Amino acid sequence: DAADAFHATLQDITSRCEAERALDDLAHADRATALPNRHALLNRLGEATFAAQRDERLVGLLVIGIDQFALTHESLGHAASDQLLRAVTQRLLHLAPGAGMIAYIGGGEFALLMDASDADEAAAQGMA
C-alpha cells in the first residue's frame, strides 16, 4: 500500500554551515585586525540610526586615522603595517571597551560607533 511507504534522506550539513559562517566572517571582518569592516559598520550604522530616530536619541561616530599610514605601508611593507594595525586595534579596544562597535574601515582608519553620551565621554578623554 502506497500510504504505508515512507522514505527519508538524512544529510549532515554541519560542514556546509561552518563554511557559510566562515564566508560571512570574511565578508564582514578585516583580516589583519579581526575587527568588523566598512561593510559591517555601514550595516550597523543604518540600524543604529534607525533605532536612534525611533527612540529620539543621538548616535556618535568617531573616525580615527593613523597619520601617514600609506607612507608606513609603502616604506615598511605589508607585514609591518598589519602589525601597526593590530597594535592600534588593541589600544582602541582597551580605551573604548564600552563602544557599541569598533571597526577598521581601511586606509589606516578606524571608526567607533556608540551612543552619543559615550561619544561625549570619549571626546572628554582625548580620543576625539
Side-chain angles (χ1 to χ4, degrees):
D1 183 335
D4 292 333
F6 179 77
H7 178 74
T9 301
L10 297 175
Q11 183 178 6
D12 183 1
I13 61 167
T14 303
S15 61
R16 180 179 173 180
C17 291
E18 289 172 353
E20 288 175 359
R21 193 171 310 117
L23 282 174
D24 187 60
D25 288 346
L26 286 173
H28 294 94
D30 177 68
R31 180 193 53 77
T33 64
L35 290 174
N37 63 15
R38 177 187 302 267
H39 180 70
L41 174 68
L42 292 174
N43 287 342
R44 182 81 175 270
L45 181 59
E47 294 168 2
T49 302
F50 177 78
Q53 288 173 340
R54 181 192 63 223
D55 300 339
E56 297 183 1
R57 59 183 172 80
L58 298 174
V59 173
L61 180 66
L62 300 175
V63 177
I64 300 169
I66 301 173
D67 288 340
Q68 304 296 320
F69 180 75
L71 180 62
T72 300
H73 182 74
E74 290 171 12
S75 61
L76 298 179
H78 191 74
S81 60
D82 280 356
Q83 186 177 5
L84 174 61
L85 291 174
R86 285 190 289 275
V88 172
T89 296
Q90 292 307 310
R91 168 80 45 95
L92 290 174
L93 291 171
H94 176 74
L95 291 174
M101 176 184 228
I102 300 174
Y104 179 65
I105 55 177
E109 291 187 335
F110 294 82
L112 283 71
L113 176 64
M114 57 190 80
D115 288 333
S117 59
D118 293 332
D120 289 341
E121 183 178 329
Q125 291 179 11
M127 288 186 60

